[in-house]
Amino acid sequence: MSEMINLTIDNVPVSVPEGTTILEAAKKINVRIPTLCYHQDLCVAGNCRVCVVEQKGTDRLMPSCAMPVSEGMEILTNSLKARSARKHVIELLVSEHRADCTRCYKNGNCELQELSSEYIIGEDGFIDLIPYKEYTIDHYSPSIIKDDSKCIRCQRCVRTCNELQKIGALAVAYKGKDMKISTFFEKPMFEVVCTNCGQCVNRCPTGALTEKTYVDLVWSEMNREDKHVVVQTAPAVRVALGEALGMEPGMIVTGKLVAALRRLGFDSVLDTDFTADLTIIEEGNELLQRLKKALVDKDPAAKLPLTTSCSPGWVKFIEHAFPGYLDHVSTAKSPQQMFGALAKTFYAKKINVEPENIVSVSIMPCTAKKYEADRPEMRSSGYKDVDYVLTTRELALMIRQAGIDFASLPDDDYDSIMGESSGAGVIFGATGGVMEAALRTAYEVVTGREVPFENLNITPVRGMDGVREATIKIEGALPEWSFLEGVELRCCVAHGLANAKKVMDAVKAGTVNYHFIEIMACPGGCLGGGGQPIPTNEEIRRKRAEAIYREDAHKPIRKSHENPEVIRLYEELLHEPLSETAHKLLHTNYRARDRY
Amino acid sequence: MASKKLKRLDLVFKDEQDTEAILKKTFSRPESDIINDLISSGLKGRGGAGFPTGLKWKLTADTKGDEKYVICNADEGEPGTFKDREILSKVPHKVLAGMAVCGRVIGSRKGFIYLRGEYKFLIPDLEREIERFHQLLEKLGCGFRVEIFTGSGAYICGEESALFESMEGKRGEPRNKPPFPVTHGYNGKPTVINNVETLAHTYSIFKYGPEKFRDLGVQDSRGSKVFSVSGDTPVPGIYELEFGMTLQKFVDDFGDGDTKAVQVGGASGFCVPRKKFEKTIIGYQGKLTGESLPTGGSMMIFNSSRSMYNVLHNYLDFFVEESCGQCTPCRVGTQQLLLGIEAVKKGEKPSSYLDKLLELAESMRITAKCGLGQSVANSFASIVENFKEEMIY
């Protein structure tokens, strides 16, 4: 038990454990101190100086985010001295920021804008520094636009990229007036190790880092008579979209989401969860086949552990950081890309539309999905399998543009053929979900019985710990899987690329001995993706996760292999898992990339 | 020559080849006695911040740690300062002895000299001196070792926590404080970081005892100080002088008879106009230097031919480049001050804009993350307030 420290903040006594910062102590008594460089997910930087407060009897102000409390402190968060210094700091930030708010993509969702409005930053501020500088606007990446003229150097993105994700694509370059956030050799983002995960976008307080938007292109496609626009929605979108439309975090809005998409004018409203179930069949069988090759045939080419491949940020990360381990990654495409390949083949045929007239749009919690859709490998249908990827945020924007009162929409159902999903498909949106879904199916394939967990909830792989391990002993294997009898299937789940790196370093060092690893690039899994509503923090991600598991629990079908539409797809097209057709449409390969 | 009247001290630069005897004597004493001597001598950090040296050693000695470090800050970058270079070339053995004793006192086996990038030419001689010194330490049965680490020319790396970051292979940016170096320094370990001159002074204290040192100087400013004298003076150079003289006395000795102002403590120090020479005492309470950057004794003399606008412009140019860019007040504030005085000079802003800039400078002083940004206000306010007409016309 740490010692309690007593202090007063704005004359209100407060008692907090030793080591608490002034900012946290103030929160406890409901005093909000404005911040900019501070972010709950990141280590404290203390560099914007917006959160300065006065301590009675001390000449200089203190950064409340970085200063631990001490006994007897008398803190004034709103004294004239603190206020006017803070106003100066905000004025300075505005002076180096291209404050072209009405033309900014982040207009209305910008922390600097909010602060300058709160502190009445007028026209009589300091000299506008923008004309004195040269700025780069990097719009070459298919996922992220980096506009240095909007950057206020808070370094949230740098900390996100280096600490949270351990990628190191973004760093501080130069000093003094030339100090800026840059990349290796100032190359464009798409030429460096950037995984397009978009976690920096989620944490940028201004419009310096935003997703590349395709909203207008999608609108115009929908306007074309000759086009049939198909939309798919990722699992994590339905538990977060509400936040961007004024609802509380943790609301499940699946029915309203479908209704809204129909009103926007999408011709077929389908579900990525359907291909999430399909992924489980393919990837689960790949795992079993690999286990057989490794354990029975002793085939050195059958690499274990097998890792998941649904997170495009993770895929690009391993291509850069562990290129020698690409044959450990499942060849199964991500649900988005399986869907894309089927939309312009199987589905097109079903609805009797020429594939070239299908426009395939996906709504994703992710910025890396934009990049994934652009990969040259993703053209199995003979066309670009997924034409446009919109983030959850972009969809919210479209809904607002269309004047739809989202909250009052009646619930609607997905279209059929590729719209049905199981609870296993839904939980893909949370870290550990793919693992749980795969185990629900694989265990049953091998033993003919359900996984031995109450209500099929494999709780050891759930939760928000960065790296989680679980072991499942296979008992009572069917004759054809007898080689797995008694085998303890060693599984590992990691989310956030810093944790991914930790796990892969251990795999490389040979200190772990897993069979199957699920890795998601983003903290919390897809529900914490780079395309999700802003802000994000641990509590919000926890609420989204709870919603996902609630949705799973209420699904009549909980296991991927029981999804009737998936069963039909195998009957009519694929015949069996890992078949030739399946390989052609649903599997892919990876490429080693340089670190720089 | 004015300098003939000078009471020039010769403590630091006296070439005493008795390191072995001093070290032998000092190593044989209890650590607490050494610390007490330093405390009672009144020695304060000569880099500019003026933190009591004995207390710094004591705090680090009292901190538990499997590894501790002694770092000599030789990142002498303050405009107008060149005394550390001279000390390292003339009497490096004194600095090394100070480091070894510090190592003994705090329980450290490893010392570093963080040498300014521009001083690389000192390395061959320093390396030889360190080699000789290591042999001496071996003879005395002391395992302390010293290594040179060269900076890359960033002014900010003289700030102690930025210096640690730089040594750790990271970008040289100041850290949040607390924690302080005495508990979390280089590599997060307890670290004593002293200026070159401070360490050289400890040698004299070990040799002659604390009384002799304390007898020099005034009140809170004890002992002597090495000054770098430059500008409009017939006798530029390095001078070791007793603390406590008035600036008038200094100008009488060093000025060219037409001195209009003296910049005390470099770009991050204060500009004193003629009318305040008499009542300004050279010493810590007389605002010898800036806040916590390695200013330490830069004396720049300006005569009436100089434009104080140009002087300030030059300093601000320096800060605009040398800010690490991390915190808002320093990164943007310095640019605003520079562009602001230019705009007033050109008539693009009214002279009242200077008042807004003075307020900004004050905000920078109380909000910036480290000594650099905090001390920009020193030169800015003292020049603008004392030479306002030169800023406008």
Side-chain angles (χ1 to χ4, degrees):
Chain A
M1 183 66 190
S2 57
E3 208 187 318
M4 294 303 277
I5 305 285
N6 302 295
L7 66 155
T8 67
I9 296 178
D10 298 340
N11 301 314
V12 179
V14 55
S15 185
V16 288
E18 197 180 355
T20 308
T21 63
I22 296 172
L23 182 71
E24 292 161 344
K27 215 170 275 174
K28 214 184 144 189
I29 53 163
N30 297 317
V31 170
R32 182 188 67 95
I33 302 172
T35 55
L36 261 183
C37 70
Y38 174 82
H39 194 284
Q40 279 171 300
D41 289 337
L42 306 172
C43 82
V44 167
N47 59 25
C48 76
R49 317 309 273 186
V50 166
C51 72
V52 285
V53 294
E54 180 178 357
Q55 178 182 9
K56 267 190 207 167
T58 304
D59 178 31
R60 289 203 193 97
L61 303 178
M62 334 178 130
S64 58
C65 70
M67 185 60 72
V69 294
S70 56
E71 188 65 33
M73 262 182 169
E74 294 176 78
I75 299 296
L76 300 171
T77 70
N78 201 27
S79 65
L80 185 63
K81 188 172 169 180
R83 273 191 67 83
S84 50
R86 194 178 295 150
K87 181 166 178 172
H88 268 146
V89 170
I90 298 166
E91 276 186 294
L92 290 176
L93 288 170
V94 170
S95 79
E96 72 169 347
H97 171 84
R98 188 155 60 88
D100 199 3
C101 295
T102 47
R103 275 187 279 248
C104 180
Y105 186 61
K106 285 286 284 291
N107 188 10
N109 194 1
C110 167
E111 292 176 44
L112 183 62
Q113 195 181 39
E114 263 171 58
L115 275 180
S116 47
S117 147
E118 214 171 279
Y119 277 75
I120 324 173
I121 305 301
E123 301 271 356
D124 59 341
F126 295 113
I127 295 169
D128 182 8
L129 298 180
I130 291 295
Y132 295 87
K133 310 221 160 178
E134 276 177 29
Y135 289 108
T136 315
I137 301 176
D138 172 6
H139 46 72
Y140 297 108
S141 155
S143 301
I144 296 169
I145 293 178
K146 178 169 171 284
D147 179 350
D148 289 351
S149 70
K150 309 269 178 67
C151 176
I152 55 166
R153 281 83 164 165
C154 68
Q155 299 189 39
R156 278 194 198 169
C157 57
V158 174
R159 282 173 284 152
T160 301
C161 197
N162 291 274
E163 288 160 18
L164 203 64
Q165 297 293 69
K166 284 266 190 300
I167 302 166
L170 293 173
V172 177
Y174 304 103
K175 62 180 168 51
K177 69 178 193 327
D178 302 318
M179 181 270 208
K180 64 172 178 179
I181 311 306
S182 195
T183 53
F184 184 72
F185 268 91
E186 300 193 59
K187 290 182 179 181
M189 298 268 275
F190 90 103
E191 281 185 29
V192 296
V193 291
C194 172
T195 65
N196 306 297
C197 71
Q199 289 300 314
C200 57
V201 174
N202 274 4
R203 288 172 184 77
C204 178
T206 69
L209 286 160
T210 52
E211 71 258 23
K212 182 177 264 186
T213 181
Y214 299 91
V215 164
D216 286 335
L217 290 172
V218 171
W219 278 127
S220 52
E221 295 282 9
M222 282 199 289
N223 196 43
R224 288 180 59 173
E225 292 281 316
D226 55 334
K227 296 289 181 190
H228 183 97
V229 187
V230 171
V231 67
Q232 55 166 318
T233 62
V237 174
R238 67 206 68 194
V239 294
L241 176 66
E243 291 167 38
L245 294 163
M247 298 170 140
E248 285 299 305
M251 302 280 282
I252 305 170
V253 295
T254 319
K256 294 184 195 303
L257 163 68
V258 175
L261 289 167
R262 258 196 204 112
R263 288 219 188 163
L264 292 177
F266 288 99
D267 298 305
S268 299
V269 181
L270 302 170
D271 204 355
T272 317
D273 291 19
F274 163 79
T275 33
D277 281 333
L278 184 59
T279 299
I280 287 305
I281 311 296
E282 291 293 318
E283 195 167 288
N285 278 285
E286 185 184 3
L287 173 66
L288 293 174
Q289 200 183 69
R290 224 177 253 222
L291 285 169
K292 181 167 184 292
K293 280 189 185 157
L295 302 177
V296 182
D297 309 341
K298 310 281 178 205
D299 178 357
K303 293 289 196 303
L304 285 173
L306 178 73
T307 84
T308 56
S309 59
C310 5
S311 166
W314 152 242
V315 168
K316 187 149 187 276
F317 182 76
I318 191 172
E319 288 179 331
H320 282 295
F322 299 92
Y325 286 78
L326 293 181
D327 45 11
H328 288 257
V329 183
S330 164
T331 60
K333 281 183 190 170
S334 72
Q336 164 176 281
Q337 293 307 138
M338 286 196 180
F339 188 100
L342 291 171
K344 294 197 180 179
T345 53
F346 176 71
Y347 188 76
K349 210 175 211 171
K350 283 268 173 200
I351 60 167
N352 210 11
V353 175
E354 288 302 315
E356 65 257 36
N357 286 332
I358 297 260
V359 176
S360 165
V361 177
S362 65
I363 313 295
M364 292 284 142
C366 181
T367 47
K369 288 283 172 195
K370 292 174 188 272
Y371 158 82
E372 185 188 46
D374 269 10
R375 285 182 74 121
E377 297 89 354
M378 301 304 174
R379 292 173 163 268
S380 316
S381 62
Y383 304 88
K384 193 179 175 207
D385 293 337
V386 174
D387 294 297
Y388 304 102
V389 179
L390 303 177
T391 60
T392 310
R393 294 188 292 266
E394 287 171 275
L395 175 61
L397 186 67
M398 289 180 81
I399 292 171
R400 280 199 302 271
Q401 284 178 357
I404 295 169
D405 178 8
F406 187 74
S408 68
L409 281 177
D411 285 355
D412 213 341
D413 286 327
Y414 285 102
D415 289 319
S416 60
I417 305 178
M418 288 168 55
E420 182 69 74
S421 65
S422 75
V426 171
I427 56 174
F428 260 60
T431 167
V434 177
M435 176 64 68
E436 180 165 351
L439 290 176
R440 284 184 194 168
T441 290
Y443 192 91
E444 203 165 316
V445 168
V446 171
T447 65
R449 286 174 288 113
E450 290 189 337
V451 277
F453 288 90
E454 201 183 337
N455 296 326
L456 300 174
N457 297 334
I458 310 181
T459 45
V461 300
R462 295 187 183 183
M464 285 292 169
D465 289 342
V467 179
R468 308 186 290 283
E469 293 176 328
T471 303
I472 292 190
K473 192 170 183 180
I474 296 176
E475 282 168 323
L478 296 170
E480 55 176 314
W481 300 104
S482 58
F483 69 93
L484 284 174
E485 180 62 31
V487 166
E488 292 196 328
L489 203 58
R490 290 182 298 274
C491 306
C492 172
V493 173
H495 59 123
L497 290 173
N499 294 315
K501 184 169 186 297
K502 220 183 279 173
V503 169
M504 286 310 293
D505 280 335
V507 168
K508 203 170 169 180
T511 54
V512 290
N513 200 11
Y514 304 124
H515 294 114
F516 190 36
I517 306 175
E518 179 209 289
I519 294 180
M520 294 296 156
C522 294
C526 303
L527 58 86
Q532 292 284 61
I534 297 170
T536 180
N537 60 44
E538 218 171 303
E539 198 196 338
I540 292 176
R541 293 193 291 274
R542 192 176 43 74
K543 285 186 175 155
R544 292 177 190 161
E546 284 166 9
I548 282 209
Y549 289 113
R550 243 182 5 255
E551 176 98 331
D552 165 40
H554 290 122
K555 279 274 191 184
I557 302 167
R558 307 280 308 286
K559 295 171 283 189
S560 298
H561 56 276
E562 290 178 358
N563 180 335
E565 291 188 349
V566 170
I567 294 170
R568 202 172 312 133
L569 178 70
Y570 276 100
E571 284 169 0
E572 295 180 15
L573 180 76
L574 303 170
H575 309 305
E576 58 176 13
L578 310 177
S579 68
E580 207 186 315
T581 317
H583 262 288
K584 184 173 169 289
L585 290 176
L586 310 180
H587 290 255
T588 185
N589 50 60
Y590 309 102
R591 53 173 82 182
R593 292 171 201 269
D594 291 337
R595 186 79 181 86
Y596 296 107
Chain B
M1 279 289 266
S3 60
K4 280 183 188 151
K5 292 180 284 170
L6 275 177
K7 190 191 160 201
R8 204 164 163 171
L9 290 167
D10 197 17
L11 285 170
V12 166
F13 289 106
K14 195 198 275 176
D15 187 20
E16 296 154 301
Q17 290 300 338
D18 49 2
T19 315
E20 183 172 350
I22 305 282
L23 281 182
K24 226 183 234 171
K25 182 181 105 180
T26 315
F27 282 168
S28 69
R29 304 175 62 205
E31 283 89 7
S32 56
D33 285 8
I34 301 174
I35 287 177
N36 287 337
D37 271 8
L38 277 183
I39 291 175
S40 72
S41 76
L43 174 62
K44 287 182 176 179
R46 290 321 199 227
F51 192 84
T53 307
L55 181 60
K56 192 183 269 186
W57 287 24
K58 182 175 162 37
L59 289 170
T60 315
D62 290 348
T63 307
K64 286 200 173 62
D66 51 345
E67 206 155 348
K68 296 183 184 182
Y69 300 101
V70 180
I71 293 174
C72 167
N73 188 345
D75 193 44
E76 184 176 41
E78 188 64 41
T81 317
F82 36 93
K83 46 114 187 159
D84 292 340
R85 179 183 69 196
E86 194 70 4
I87 294 170
L88 283 175
S89 356
K90 297 280 164 58
V91 287
H93 59 281
K94 292 193 179 180
V95 177
L96 292 171
M99 291 177 76
V101 173
C102 179
R104 173 73 156 220
V105 167
I106 66 165
S108 158
R109 292 175 302 276
K110 187 77 199 167
F112 292 94
I113 297 176
Y114 187 98
L115 192 67
R116 182 184 183 195
E118 290 86 340
Y119 286 178
K120 282 196 177 118
F121 65 92
L122 293 176
I123 292 178
D125 285 351
L126 261 183
E127 293 278 16
R128 263 192 300 280
E129 193 62 32
I130 290 171
E131 182 55 40
R132 256 201 301 277
F133 186 69
H134 282 167
Q135 284 165 10
L136 172 61
L137 287 182
E138 225 156 86
K139 196 168 143 197
L140 297 173
C142 171
F144 188 76
R145 291 293 175 269
V146 177
E147 219 178 277
I148 299 174
F149 187 99
T150 43
S152 301
Y155 171 71
I156 190 59
C157 289
E159 197 279 343
E160 55 195 22
S161 64
L163 183 149
F164 301 144
E165 292 285 299
S166 156
M167 283 182 69
E168 290 171 15
K170 294 180 243 165
R171 204 181 138 79
E173 283 182 348
R175 299 173 179 168
N176 288 308
K177 291 178 218 167
F180 294 97
V182 292
T183 55
H184 296 76
Y186 172 53
N187 281 341
K189 307 288 183 190
T191 303
V192 162
I193 176 161
N194 282 144
N195 172 255
V196 172
E197 185 191 343
T198 312
L199 289 162
H201 279 299
T202 63
Y203 187 95
S204 312
I205 294 166
F206 303 144
K207 179 165 178 177
Y208 301 109
E211 297 79 12
K212 183 161 179 186
F213 191 85
R214 199 177 50 226
D215 287 347
L216 292 168
V218 291
Q219 290 174 15
D220 291 335
S221 308
R222 296 290 171 186
S224 60
K225 173 82 190 87
V226 182
F227 291 95
S228 311
V229 181
S230 65
D232 295 316
T233 168
V235 285
I238 308 247
Y239 296 86
E240 185 180 350
L241 307 170
E242 187 177 349
F243 265 140
M245 65 161 65
T246 64
L247 202 54
Q248 186 61 57
K249 171 85 171 55
F250 174 84
V251 168
D252 289 346
D253 284 343
F254 291 93
D256 63 359
D258 185 26
T259 304
K260 140 162 115 172
V262 180
Q263 179 76 17
V264 183
S268 58
F270 292 84
C271 183
V272 185
R274 187 183 292 144
K275 61 178 186 239
K276 293 180 184 162
F277 287 169
E278 195 55 61
K279 57 179 187 186
T280 304
I281 307 247
I282 301 177
Y284 291 101
Q285 73 272 53
K287 291 183 176 171
L288 167 70
T289 62
E291 297 296 336
S292 69
L293 285 163
T295 62
S298 157
M299 307 292 278
M300 280 187 257
I301 303 175
F302 300 110
N303 69 18
S304 60
S305 73
R306 306 290 162 185
S307 151
M308 296 314 286
Y309 171 83
N310 287 347
V311 169
L312 178 59
H313 194 281
N314 182 289
Y315 292 160
L316 289 173
D317 254 339
F318 175 79
F319 287 128
V320 161
E321 292 292 331
E322 293 299 341
S323 163
C324 77
Q326 179 187 196
C327 81
T328 312
C330 185
R331 178 186 69 251
V332 195
T334 52
Q335 297 177 64
Q336 287 296 349
L337 294 180
L338 179 62
L339 288 174
I341 63 163
E342 283 178 353
V344 170
K345 192 78 175 175
K346 284 188 228 152
E348 292 166 3
K349 290 267 183 195
S351 56
S352 61
Y353 192 66
L354 288 174
D355 297 328
K356 189 173 167 79
L357 294 181
L358 283 168
E359 285 168 19
L360 170 62
E362 172 61 10
S363 285
M364 290 165 68
R365 189 183 70 77
I366 59 174
T367 62
K369 190 164 182 173
C370 82
L372 197 166
Q374 291 162 5
S375 57
V376 172
N378 298 348
S379 54
F380 186 84
S382 57
I383 293 177
V384 169
E385 278 165 1
N386 290 308
F387 300 96
K388 203 162 194 170
E389 67 291 347
E390 289 193 43
M391 300 299 122
I392 301 167
Y393 305 109

